[in-house]
Amino acid sequence: MPTKTLTVVGPQINTALPGANAKRVLAADDKYISSSYTRSYPLVAKRGRGVVVEDIDGNEFFDFSAGIAVVSTGHCHPEVVSAIQKQAAELIHMSGTDFYYESMTTLAERLDRIAPMPGPHKFYYGNSGTEAIECALKLARYHTKRQQIIAFQGAFHGRTMGALSLTASKPQQRRRFAPLVPGVTHVPYPNVYRRPEGTEAKQYAIDCARYIEEKVFTSTVPPEEVAAIFVEAVQGEGGYIVAPTEFLQELRRICDKHGILLVADEVQAGMGRTGKWWAIEHSGVQPDIICSAKGIASGMPLSVVITKAEIMDWVPGSHASTFGGNPVCIAAALATLGVLEREGVKNSAEVGAYMLQRLSAWPQKHSNVGDVRGRGLMIGVEIVKDQEAKTPDAAARDRIVQLAFERGVLFLGAGPNSVRISPPLIITREEADVAMDVLEECVSIAAKETK
């Protein structure tokens, strides 16, 4: 049967939520599926086009989560779908670990041109963001012959054991999984909105970086034993917190001084989401290693680690992946890059700036909005009980997300009390206005309910 063409004029909610068919699926899910999954509301997706997702009962939603920042070109972009279909009819799998695909080098050549550090570069293919982090962690230790790693409070780098050892955003993600990989030290990440009272923002950012040298290196971790510093230029799960330029510049200085690798986790913030190919580019800082996934293949499972060529010096057998660099996933990535190069990155910058301008007035208009921050189409709205005290209000944030779902717009939380706004990079201003209208209505309702 032909795929139904979805409307894009706005959400269309025609049933109670969840609908009858959704309830059937939810019951089966409760019976069979792991209870470890996190679901914010009962959406049972059936099909999607662009920014619109249709559920199993025929309700149409605007997806301003983009499948957790994954479908960068929107749902089922025709160019991506065509590339997937064509490749699937020719060759689905042989394993790039043991054989060769021309498309692996084709994609590497494309990524080589947009890497934010000078070449030559080397590339490693995996299946997910957490696998990219595992690769970078192992490679940093292998290349430097050092064992210690520094990561940041509020960071999310994944859930496999190595990546989980770097993650520090929610205690539940680590609870009952110890012992984790040893040798990881977490240090403060500069949340400018929540900096100590009376502290100047620029100096606070610099001090957060210098904490590594002035405290960690002088008390617990010898700098000559540190292999890498892992950092998100915009923390994702941590609350969509933007790292100040001065902070990233200071990290680069520390790494250069002590022979430490700077690893940029661009899994969520990369591939144009912040209005540049890589979030770290906003600072002018050049990393040694980049970890990319999520938006790189518009929903197909692919991750890529990009390094300066001299860093990826391990010998055959040191690390590999059966499915990493799968031909179908690479075809999707090549098509995705084409869309992003042509329109997606530019649109992210332009529509993101438009949204941030409108949202910037919300702390003055709404007593429960403490902060609005972001870059491009990676925007966080922090919900508080009291603006002066900046008291986090997780319950109100969750209520806002639920209310938006009921009105047909999909958002997710980020951090303890922020709403994340991460739509496909191809959205229009009109679609953005629809979503912001709904979100503002929900923010107002939540404020009234808590009075």
Side-chain angles (χ1 to χ4, degrees):
M1 294 179 65
T3 302
K4 177 182 175 183
T5 300
L6 301 180
T7 62
V8 294
V9 295
Q12 303 290 322
I13 305 301
N14 305 309
T15 73
L17 297 176
N21 290 321
K23 288 180 179 178
R24 173 177 50 81
V25 174
L26 294 173
D29 188 279
D30 185 61
K31 181 177 180 180
Y32 293 112
I33 305 302
S34 172
S35 58
S36 64
Y37 294 171
T38 56
R39 275 72 173 259
S40 297
Y41 36 76
L43 173 76
V44 181
K46 183 177 182 180
R47 59 169 64 92
R49 287 292 184 276
V51 74
V52 181
V53 170
E54 182 182 326
D55 78 358
I56 198 169
D57 292 290
N59 299 299
E60 294 178 1
F61 300 81
F62 269 19
D63 182 8
F64 269 62
S65 72
I68 316 185
V70 167
V71 289
S72 54
T73 59
H75 291 278
C76 299
H77 191 287
E79 293 176 38
V80 177
V81 171
S82 177
I84 291 170
Q85 291 172 332
K86 182 175 183 295
Q87 183 59 53
E90 292 179 351
L91 180 68
I92 293 176
H93 177 75
M94 273 293 291
S95 183
T97 292
D98 294 286
F99 304 97
Y100 298 90
Y101 304 131
E102 183 177 12
S103 60
M104 291 177 75
T105 56
T106 302
L107 178 56
E109 289 168 354
R110 294 278 292 276
L111 292 171
D112 182 77
R113 296 197 292 268
I114 63 172
M117 67 281 208
H121 306 106
K122 287 279 190 176
F123 301 82
Y124 172 87
Y125 294 109
N127 304 285
S128 64
T130 194
E131 287 188 27
I133 297 297
E134 293 283 345
C135 170
L137 174 59
K138 291 175 68 177
L139 179 60
R141 285 180 164 175
Y142 186 98
H143 174 73
T144 64
K145 301 181 179 66
R146 301 176 178 188
Q147 71 275 27
Q148 296 290 332
I149 304 291
I150 291 174
F152 291 91
Q153 294 165 4
F156 182 84
H157 295 293
R159 292 184 173 89
T160 51
M161 290 302 282
L164 180 62
S165 303
L166 303 179
T167 291
S169 59
K170 295 183 178 72
Q172 182 55 40
Q173 294 160 349
R174 297 163 64 95
R175 184 172 285 124
R176 294 168 64 176
F177 295 127
L180 300 179
V181 174
V184 177
T185 300
H186 288 94
V187 297
Y189 186 93
N191 184 339
V192 174
Y193 171 64
R194 294 191 173 277
R195 68 185 184 274
E197 188 175 351
T199 305
E200 192 269 328
K202 179 178 178 180
Q203 189 60 50
Y204 163 72
I206 292 171
D207 289 345
C208 282
R210 289 182 179 171
Y211 179 90
I212 297 170
E213 275 191 317
E214 296 173 358
K215 298 296 183 183
V216 177
F217 289 173
T218 62
S219 60
T220 56
V221 180
E224 70 275 10
E225 294 184 5
V226 177
I229 296 175
F230 282 71
V231 66
E232 300 164 273
V234 182
Q235 281 197 339
E237 281 290 302
Y240 275 33
I241 302 170
V242 179
T245 292
E246 297 82 6
F247 169 74
L248 295 170
Q249 291 173 339
E250 194 68 8
L251 289 185
R252 181 71 270 177
R253 182 194 65 78
I254 292 168
C255 287
D256 290 341
K257 179 179 178 181
H258 298 284
I260 299 167
L261 299 178
L262 182 61
V263 182
D265 181 343
E266 295 271 356
V267 169
Q268 186 163 174
M271 301 313 298
R273 176 148 297 280
T274 66
K276 292 182 181 290
W277 280 112
W278 312 103
I280 201 167
E281 287 185 279
H282 291 276
S283 68
V285 169
Q286 297 176 345
D288 299 300
I289 300 176
I290 302 170
C291 298
S292 179
K294 284 192 182 288
I296 198 170
S298 297
M300 295 298 289
L302 180 69
S303 63
V304 183
V305 176
I306 309 171
T307 77
K308 295 177 180 178
E310 68 268 18
I311 293 172
M312 200 170 283
D313 58 359
W314 43 19
V315 299
S318 300
H319 193 59
S321 166
T322 299
F323 293 103
N326 173 275
V328 179
C329 298
I330 286 184
L334 289 168
T336 296
L337 278 172
V339 176
L340 297 181
E341 287 171 348
R342 185 178 68 240
E343 59 184 291
V345 180
K346 179 182 178 182
N347 191 67
S348 177
E350 292 176 352
V351 178
Y354 169 72
M355 293 179 67
L356 276 167
Q357 182 178 21
R358 174 174 168 179
L359 292 164
S360 65
W362 283 18
Q364 288 71 48
K365 294 174 61 179
H366 303 286
S367 61
N368 56 346
V369 175
D371 190 35
V372 174
R373 53 185 175 253
R375 294 192 189 278
L377 291 175
M378 190 173 187
I379 301 170
V381 178
E382 184 157 348
I383 307 301
V384 296
K385 295 179 180 179
D386 179 271
Q387 286 184 331
E388 185 174 349
K390 301 181 182 179
T391 311
D393 197 339
R397 187 275 310 276
D398 293 346
R399 176 62 172 155
I400 290 166
V401 170
Q402 175 66 32
L403 288 167
F405 166 68
E406 294 169 1
R407 286 156 178 77
V409 182
L410 308 178
F411 296 104
L412 290 171
N417 58 302
S418 294
V419 178
R420 79 174 81 190
I421 304 175
S422 57
L425 307 191
I426 48 78
I427 63 163
T428 64
R429 288 192 178 198
E430 292 74 20
E431 291 166 338
D433 277 329
V434 169
M436 286 189 291
D437 286 344
V438 169
L439 183 58
E440 186 163 21
E441 177 188 2
C442 298
V443 166
S444 297
I445 292 171
K448 294 176 181 176
E449 289 179 347
T450 56
K451 286 184 178 179

